[in-house]
Amino acid sequence: MNTAVLFDLDGVIIDSRAAIREALHTITFRVFGRDIQPHLLDAQVGVPPVQALCQLGVPDPEDAYERMFDAALLDAAHHIRVIPAVVAGITALAQSGVKIGIVTTQARRRLYFLVPPVVGMVASVVIAWEDAEPKPAPDGITLACSRLGVAAQSALFVGDTVTDLAAGRAAGVKTVSVAWGFTDSDVWRGQAQRSCSTIHGRSGQSYSSSCRTLRPEHPSPDAATTVRAPLPGCGPLS
């Protein structure tokens, strides 16, 4: 039995693609004074923000990210959609005594408006970008298990990307992927045709991803709900 279940945030608990796209549009419009072609923006959704801004031709993308991305994403937060079935499942697991954790590459300063309140209430640990080497490195998952006091063999990690699968595999936890996240179905079909794939982390370390994944049925788009704006004075989750 799994005594802890860890979840990725973007693409699993929430669908933030439209919000991220809008944030990138806002920044590029401010920089260039014109709209970027839609297909160019679409291609950068799911890419780390600094890399996305670089690919879009923004000068000094790290500076643009630090100065503008948080505010742009917050302004676009009304586009964020919660996956209700996942939230309901998380709540049910917590009520049954299973420990809940989140392992995300989002910066901690943004979690207060990204994590659905009910999930924030039941999650015992939230590992953010600043806390550990990001996926595909296993560090964040390993740290979450340590803070929850559970062995890797007793934990399950739910992700939506190849890097999530690689991180879970390297951490020694059971790992599954959802079908409604950031990864295109063609990628999963390609994965299924290979025994594994090799990807590289931020530090250059290589990681292998298991290609055998469980993919729950895609939830109905009509079942998505909008994240409420953060309450005044509400701070980031710890």
Side-chain angles (χ1 to χ4, degrees), residues 126-165:
V126 179
I127 304 300
W129 170 268
E130 300 88 343
D131 300 321
E133 180 78 12
K135 297 168 286 186
D139 303 42
I141 296 173
T142 300
L143 179 59
C145 288
S146 174
R147 290 185 177 178
L148 290 173
V150 301
Q153 295 82 357
S154 298
L156 172 71
F157 177 58
V158 183
D160 70 304
T161 65
V162 174
T163 57
D164 289 334
L165 296 183

Side-chain angles (χ1 to χ4, degrees), residues 12-76:
V12 176
I13 300 174
I14 62 173
D15 181 354
S16 55
R17 287 172 291 189
I20 292 172
R21 185 188 186 281
E22 181 62 25
L24 293 174
H25 173 262
T26 297
I27 294 172
T28 54
F29 187 84
R30 290 177 182 173
V31 171
F32 300 118
R34 57 180 174 81
D35 290 321
I36 294 290
Q37 294 183 41
H39 74 277
L40 296 178
L41 289 171
D42 293 340
Q44 299 307 318
V45 175
V47 175
V50 174
Q51 180 182 340
L53 293 171
C54 180
Q55 294 290 344
L56 292 169
V58 173
D60 199 349
E62 291 187 6
D63 177 69
Y65 167 76
E66 291 295 338
R67 289 190 297 106
M68 292 185 276
F69 187 78
D70 286 4
L73 187 60
L74 179 58
D75 286 344

